[in-house]
Amino acid sequence: MTLALNDAIVVPKKRKGMLPILIVLFLISYGLMSVLVVEQGRTIESQRGLIRDLFNDSTELSALKMKEVLRERAMADHAAKVRAQTAVQQSQVSPHDRARNKNSVRSQTPALQKPPKPAADTADARRIPLTI
């Protein structure tokens, strides 16, 4: 076999130079995305815990408010019963004794005086609504 001068020898060009760089970049980006997914999972779990804590606090607060409302109702019922008993006891007193009790109560209670208003609390006439 003889080689002629016009026969060209085909030498393949190197295209492998960019492939290792692209593979490394792909692995780096895949690693960064994996880290991002893990961090997002941690964030979601911590937010879930905070939401649970807020829900528990809200439930406790609602329970405390309900207890307060029930306690106020019980106190109002008790006060109404006391007023009713007092009214019954006063209705059993003779009219002459009732008149005497009114006079003695009036003489015993001191006249209430209003405290003076500070100058800063006086209302501006422009801000007083004229509606009823």
Side-chain angles (χ1 to χ4, degrees):
M1 284 200 161
T2 59
L3 286 174
L5 290 175
N6 19 352
D7 288 339
I9 299 175
V10 179
V11 179
K13 293 184 180 178
K14 289 189 174 183
R15 293 189 178 199
K16 294 182 181 178
M18 294 297 280
L19 186 61
I21 294 173
L22 291 174
I23 290 174
V24 169
L25 287 176
F26 175 75
L27 291 175
I28 290 172
S29 64
Y30 192 76
L32 288 174
M33 282 189 37
S34 299
V35 169
L36 178 69
V37 168
V38 169
E39 288 298 320
Q40 282 181 336
R42 287 182 189 167
T43 302
I44 290 170
E45 285 301 318
S46 66
Q47 288 176 345
R48 182 176 291 143
L50 289 173
I51 289 171
R52 284 183 184 142
D53 290 342
L54 285 173
F55 181 74
N56 289 338
D57 290 347
S58 175
T59 305
E60 287 179 24
L61 183 61
S62 296
L64 286 174
K65 284 183 179 179
M66 185 59 84
K67 284 181 184 178
E68 182 68 21
V69 167
L70 291 176
R71 186 177 66 81
E72 287 176 1
R73 282 186 188 168
M75 288 178 66
D77 290 345
H78 178 69
K81 286 179 185 177
V82 168
R83 274 189 253 124
Q85 288 175 353
T86 305
V88 168
Q89 289 173 355
Q90 287 180 354
S91 65
Q92 293 173 353
V93 177
S94 68
H96 180 66
D97 290 338
R98 234 184 273 151
R100 190 173 15 170
N101 285 341
K102 282 185 181 178
N103 291 336
S104 66
V105 169
R106 285 183 190 158
S107 64
Q108 290 176 357
T109 56
L112 297 177
Q113 296 178 355
K114 289 186 178 179
K117 266 190 172 178
D121 287 350
T122 57
D124 188 1
R126 295 173 292 179
R127 296 185 184 174
I128 297 175
L130 299 176
T131 59
I132 295 176

